[in-house]
mmCIF file of all heavy atoms in Angstrom:
data_model
loop_
_atom_site.group_PDB
_atom_site.id
_atom_site.type_symbol
_atom_site.label_atom_id
_atom_site.label_comp_id
_atom_site.label_asym_id
_atom_site.label_seq_id
_atom_site.Cartn_x
_atom_site.Cartn_y
_atom_site.Cartn_z
ATOM 1 N N ARG A 239 0.724 38.466 108.001
ATOM 2 C CA ARG A 239 0.362 38.680 106.596
ATOM 3 C C ARG A 239 1.344 39.659 105.973
ATOM 4 O O ARG A 239 1.753 40.637 106.594
ATOM 5 C CB ARG A 239 -1.065 39.211 106.544
ATOM 6 C CG ARG A 239 -1.616 39.281 105.149
ATOM 7 C CD ARG A 239 -3.104 39.468 105.164
ATOM 8 N NE ARG A 239 -3.557 39.732 103.823
ATOM 9 C CZ ARG A 239 -4.715 40.206 103.499
ATOM 10 N NH1 ARG A 239 -5.578 40.483 104.454
ATOM 11 N NH2 ARG A 239 -5.051 40.412 102.276
ATOM 12 N N ASP A 240 1.668 39.432 104.735
ATOM 13 C CA ASP A 240 2.600 40.269 103.990
ATOM 14 C C ASP A 240 2.038 41.690 103.852
ATOM 15 O O ASP A 240 0.889 41.870 103.451
ATOM 16 C CB ASP A 240 2.820 39.627 102.617
ATOM 17 C CG ASP A 240 3.722 40.454 101.726
ATOM 18 O OD1 ASP A 240 4.634 41.119 102.248
ATOM 19 O OD2 ASP A 240 3.507 40.421 100.494
ATOM 20 N N PRO A 241 2.819 42.728 104.185
ATOM 21 C CA PRO A 241 2.339 44.111 104.090
ATOM 22 C C PRO A 241 1.913 44.508 102.668
ATOM 23 O O PRO A 241 0.970 45.272 102.488
ATOM 24 C CB PRO A 241 3.532 44.954 104.550
ATOM 25 C CG PRO A 241 4.434 44.031 105.270
ATOM 26 C CD PRO A 241 4.157 42.654 104.768
ATOM 27 N N ILE A 242 2.593 43.964 101.674
ATOM 28 C CA ILE A 242 2.225 44.271 100.290
ATOM 29 C C ILE A 242 0.849 43.676 99.970
ATOM 30 O O ILE A 242 0.019 44.316 99.317
ATOM 31 C CB ILE A 242 3.288 43.758 99.297
ATOM 32 C CG1 ILE A 242 4.628 44.452 99.537
ATOM 33 C CG2 ILE A 242 2.823 43.928 97.860
ATOM 34 C CD1 ILE A 242 4.614 45.951 99.280
ATOM 35 N N GLU A 243 0.601 42.457 100.468
ATOM 36 C CA GLU A 243 -0.713 41.850 100.255
ATOM 37 C C GLU A 243 -1.799 42.633 100.979
ATOM 38 O O GLU A 243 -2.905 42.801 100.461
ATOM 39 C CB GLU A 243 -0.714 40.391 100.712
ATOM 40 C CG GLU A 243 -0.002 39.470 99.743
ATOM 41 C CD GLU A 243 -0.095 38.011 100.158
ATOM 42 O OE1 GLU A 243 -0.957 37.663 100.990
ATOM 43 O OE2 GLU A 243 0.713 37.219 99.643
ATOM 44 N N GLU A 244 -1.504 43.139 102.161
ATOM 45 C CA GLU A 244 -2.476 43.954 102.899
ATOM 46 C C GLU A 244 -2.778 45.245 102.138
ATOM 47 O O GLU A 244 -3.935 45.669 102.045
ATOM 48 C CB GLU A 244 -1.963 44.268 104.303
ATOM 49 C CG GLU A 244 -2.039 43.093 105.234
ATOM 50 C CD GLU A 244 -1.610 43.437 106.649
ATOM 51 O OE1 GLU A 244 -1.736 44.625 107.043
ATOM 52 O OE2 GLU A 244 -1.161 42.525 107.351
ATOM 53 N N LEU A 245 -1.736 45.867 101.603
ATOM 54 C CA LEU A 245 -1.929 47.071 100.799
ATOM 55 C C LEU A 245 -2.764 46.755 99.563
ATOM 56 O O LEU A 245 -3.709 47.479 99.234
ATOM 57 C CB LEU A 245 -0.569 47.659 100.389
ATOM 58 C CG LEU A 245 -0.613 48.850 99.429
ATOM 59 C CD1 LEU A 245 -1.366 50.023 100.054
ATOM 60 C CD2 LEU A 245 0.802 49.250 99.040
ATOM 61 N N ALA A 246 -2.436 45.661 98.884
ATOM 62 C CA ALA A 246 -3.195 45.261 97.693
ATOM 63 C C ALA A 246 -4.654 44.999 98.047
ATOM 64 O O ALA A 246 -5.565 45.405 97.313
ATOM 65 C CB ALA A 246 -2.561 44.027 97.054
ATOM 66 N N ASP A 247 -4.893 44.349 99.175
ATOM 67 C CA ASP A 247 -6.251 44.069 99.613
ATOM 68 C C ASP A 247 -7.004 45.376 99.892
ATOM 69 O O ASP A 247 -8.165 45.534 99.497
ATOM 70 C CB ASP A 247 -6.223 43.187 100.860
ATOM 71 C CG ASP A 247 -7.604 42.733 101.272
ATOM 72 O OD1 ASP A 247 -8.355 42.222 100.413
ATOM 73 O OD2 ASP A 247 -7.951 42.906 102.460
ATOM 74 N N GLY A 248 -6.346 46.314 100.539
ATOM 75 C CA GLY A 248 -6.970 47.608 100.829
ATOM 76 C C GLY A 248 -7.273 48.395 99.563
ATOM 77 O O GLY A 248 -8.344 49.001 99.434
ATOM 78 N N LEU A 249 -6.334 48.386 98.610
ATOM 79 C CA LEU A 249 -6.557 49.079 97.341
ATOM 80 C C LEU A 249 -7.693 48.434 96.557
ATOM 81 O O LEU A 249 -8.511 49.122 95.945
ATOM 82 C CB LEU A 249 -5.275 49.101 96.507
ATOM 83 C CG LEU A 249 -4.178 50.040 97.006
ATOM 84 C CD1 LEU A 249 -2.900 49.825 96.202
ATOM 85 C CD2 LEU A 249 -4.637 51.486 96.932
ATOM 86 N N HIS A 250 -7.736 47.119 96.576
ATOM 87 C CA HIS A 250 -8.813 46.400 95.891
ATOM 88 C C HIS A 250 -10.164 46.806 96.461
ATOM 89 O O HIS A 250 -11.110 47.129 95.726
ATOM 90 C CB HIS A 250 -8.589 44.889 96.027
ATOM 91 C CG HIS A 250 -9.630 44.072 95.359
ATOM 92 N ND1 HIS A 250 -10.708 43.559 96.039
ATOM 93 C CD2 HIS A 250 -9.770 43.700 94.067
ATOM 94 C CE1 HIS A 250 -11.472 42.900 95.189
ATOM 95 N NE2 HIS A 250 -10.921 42.964 93.989
ATOM 96 N N SER A 251 -10.272 46.809 97.770
ATOM 97 C CA SER A 251 -11.520 47.187 98.435
ATOM 98 C C SER A 251 -11.886 48.634 98.119
ATOM 99 O O SER A 251 -13.040 48.955 97.808
ATOM 100 C CB SER A 251 -11.378 46.993 99.948
ATOM 101 O OG SER A 251 -12.563 47.357 100.599
ATOM 102 N N ALA A 252 -10.909 49.528 98.167
ATOM 103 C CA ALA A 252 -11.162 50.942 97.875
ATOM 104 C C ALA A 252 -11.628 51.132 96.435
ATOM 105 O O ALA A 252 -12.536 51.928 96.160
ATOM 106 C CB ALA A 252 -9.899 51.763 98.146
ATOM 107 N N ALA A 253 -11.021 50.389 95.516
ATOM 108 C CA ALA A 253 -11.408 50.501 94.105
ATOM 109 C C ALA A 253 -12.851 50.056 93.900
ATOM 110 O O ALA A 253 -13.607 50.704 93.164
ATOM 111 C CB ALA A 253 -10.459 49.667 93.240
ATOM 112 N N ILE A 254 -13.246 48.994 94.545
ATOM 113 C CA ILE A 254 -14.621 48.512 94.418
ATOM 114 C C ILE A 254 -15.596 49.552 94.966
ATOM 115 O O ILE A 254 -16.605 49.876 94.325
ATOM 116 C CB ILE A 254 -14.787 47.149 95.120
ATOM 117 C CG1 ILE A 254 -14.075 46.066 94.309
ATOM 118 C CG2 ILE A 254 -16.269 46.805 95.305
ATOM 119 C CD1 ILE A 254 -13.977 44.734 95.003
ATOM 120 N N HIS A 255 -15.305 50.103 96.134
ATOM 121 C CA HIS A 255 -16.183 51.118 96.729
ATOM 122 C C HIS A 255 -16.248 52.366 95.844
ATOM 123 O O HIS A 255 -17.318 52.953 95.659
ATOM 124 C CB HIS A 255 -15.734 51.471 98.140
ATOM 125 C CG HIS A 255 -15.988 50.385 99.125
ATOM 126 N ND1 HIS A 255 -17.248 50.043 99.563
ATOM 127 C CD2 HIS A 255 -15.138 49.539 99.746
ATOM 128 C CE1 HIS A 255 -17.163 49.048 100.411
ATOM 129 N NE2 HIS A 255 -15.895 48.711 100.540
ATOM 130 N N LEU A 256 -15.114 52.749 95.307
ATOM 131 C CA LEU A 256 -15.068 53.917 94.428
ATOM 132 C C LEU A 256 -15.916 53.688 93.179
ATOM 133 O O LEU A 256 -16.720 54.536 92.789
ATOM 134 C CB LEU A 256 -13.625 54.226 94.036
ATOM 135 C CG LEU A 256 -13.428 55.333 93.009
ATOM 136 C CD1 LEU A 256 -13.926 56.660 93.564
ATOM 137 C CD2 LEU A 256 -11.959 55.432 92.632
ATOM 138 N N LEU A 257 -15.773 52.533 92.553
ATOM 139 C CA LEU A 257 -16.562 52.236 91.355
ATOM 140 C C LEU A 257 -18.052 52.200 91.660
ATOM 141 O O LEU A 257 -18.865 52.653 90.852
ATOM 142 C CB LEU A 257 -16.097 50.930 90.719
ATOM 143 C CG LEU A 257 -14.737 51.007 90.034
ATOM 144 C CD1 LEU A 257 -14.295 49.631 89.566
ATOM 145 C CD2 LEU A 257 -14.781 51.981 88.878
ATOM 146 N N ARG A 258 -18.433 51.690 92.812
ATOM 147 C CA ARG A 258 -19.851 51.679 93.192
ATOM 148 C C ARG A 258 -20.377 53.110 93.318
ATOM 149 O O ARG A 258 -21.476 53.419 92.869
ATOM 150 C CB ARG A 258 -20.053 50.933 94.508
ATOM 151 C CG ARG A 258 -20.043 49.457 94.339
ATOM 152 C CD ARG A 258 -20.459 48.755 95.636
ATOM 153 N NE ARG A 258 -20.218 47.339 95.494
ATOM 154 C CZ ARG A 258 -19.571 46.600 96.386
ATOM 155 N NH1 ARG A 258 -19.107 47.136 97.490
ATOM 156 N NH2 ARG A 258 -19.396 45.322 96.170
ATOM 157 N N ARG A 259 -19.588 53.972 93.957
ATOM 158 C CA ARG A 259 -20.004 55.377 94.105
ATOM 159 C C ARG A 259 -20.153 56.047 92.751
ATOM 160 O O ARG A 259 -21.110 56.767 92.500
ATOM 161 C CB ARG A 259 -18.976 56.140 94.941
ATOM 162 C CG ARG A 259 -19.456 56.372 96.346
ATOM 163 C CD ARG A 259 -18.491 57.242 97.110
ATOM 164 N NE ARG A 259 -17.806 56.359 98.040
ATOM 165 C CZ ARG A 259 -16.518 56.359 98.297
ATOM 166 N NH1 ARG A 259 -15.729 57.216 97.723
ATOM 167 N NH2 ARG A 259 -15.994 55.509 99.141
ATOM 168 N N LEU A 260 -19.194 55.815 91.874
ATOM 169 C CA LEU A 260 -19.232 56.442 90.555
ATOM 170 C C LEU A 260 -20.353 55.861 89.697
ATOM 171 O O LEU A 260 -20.938 56.569 88.873
ATOM 172 C CB LEU A 260 -17.886 56.289 89.854
ATOM 173 C CG LEU A 260 -16.728 57.048 90.506
ATOM 174 C CD1 LEU A 260 -15.433 56.773 89.762
ATOM 175 C CD2 LEU A 260 -17.008 58.532 90.589
ATOM 176 N N ARG A 261 -20.671 54.593 89.901
ATOM 177 C CA ARG A 261 -21.729 53.953 89.123
ATOM 178 C C ARG A 261 -23.085 54.617 89.365
ATOM 179 O O ARG A 261 -23.951 54.606 88.500
ATOM 180 C CB ARG A 261 -21.789 52.464 89.456
ATOM 181 C CG ARG A 261 -22.452 51.663 88.353
ATOM 182 C CD ARG A 261 -22.440 50.164 88.594
ATOM 183 N NE ARG A 261 -21.116 49.656 88.851
ATOM 184 C CZ ARG A 261 -20.804 48.785 89.814
ATOM 185 N NH1 ARG A 261 -21.733 48.321 90.608
ATOM 186 N NH2 ARG A 261 -19.575 48.363 89.979
ATOM 187 N N ARG A 262 -23.254 55.224 90.538
ATOM 188 C CA ARG A 262 -24.508 55.938 90.820
ATOM 189 C C ARG A 262 -24.735 57.058 89.809
ATOM 190 O O ARG A 262 -25.871 57.386 89.485
ATOM 191 C CB ARG A 262 -24.492 56.502 92.230
ATOM 192 C CG ARG A 262 -24.570 55.437 93.289
ATOM 193 C CD ARG A 262 -24.614 56.034 94.684
ATOM 194 N NE ARG A 262 -24.301 54.995 95.642
ATOM 195 C CZ ARG A 262 -23.405 55.098 96.609
ATOM 196 N NH1 ARG A 262 -22.741 56.216 96.781
ATOM 197 N NH2 ARG A 262 -23.172 54.098 97.416
ATOM 198 N N GLU A 263 -23.657 57.635 89.319
ATOM 199 C CA GLU A 263 -23.767 58.702 88.316
ATOM 200 C C GLU A 263 -24.275 58.161 86.987
ATOM 201 O O GLU A 263 -24.852 58.904 86.193
ATOM 202 C CB GLU A 263 -22.417 59.393 88.115
ATOM 203 C CG GLU A 263 -21.890 60.099 89.349
ATOM 204 C CD GLU A 263 -22.837 61.152 89.876
ATOM 205 O OE1 GLU A 263 -23.443 61.881 89.059
ATOM 206 O OE2 GLU A 263 -22.991 61.248 91.105
ATOM 207 N N ASP A 264 -24.071 56.879 86.748
ATOM 208 C CA ASP A 264 -24.486 56.278 85.482
ATOM 209 C C ASP A 264 -26.001 56.266 85.321
ATOM 210 O O ASP A 264 -26.507 56.265 84.197
ATOM 211 C CB ASP A 264 -23.943 54.857 85.358
ATOM 212 C CG ASP A 264 -22.432 54.826 85.225
ATOM 213 O OD1 ASP A 264 -21.836 55.880 84.928
ATOM 214 O OD2 ASP A 264 -21.852 53.743 85.426
#
């Protein structure tokens, strides 16, 4: 697998988890 795609996949996953955590504050 392309390393850039792996990085993008990891960032995507991290962003989703981060938004879920922050949404609790809402």
Side-chain angles (χ1 to χ4, degrees):
R239 188 166 171 195
D240 177 33
I242 298 296
E243 284 184 17
E244 285 184 27
L245 174 61
D247 186 50
L249 287 172
H250 180 264
S251 180
I254 288 171
H255 289 289
L256 174 63
L257 288 174
R258 281 189 190 131
R259 256 186 254 137
L260 294 177
R261 202 176 306 136
R262 290 183 196 130
E263 297 302 320
D264 293 344

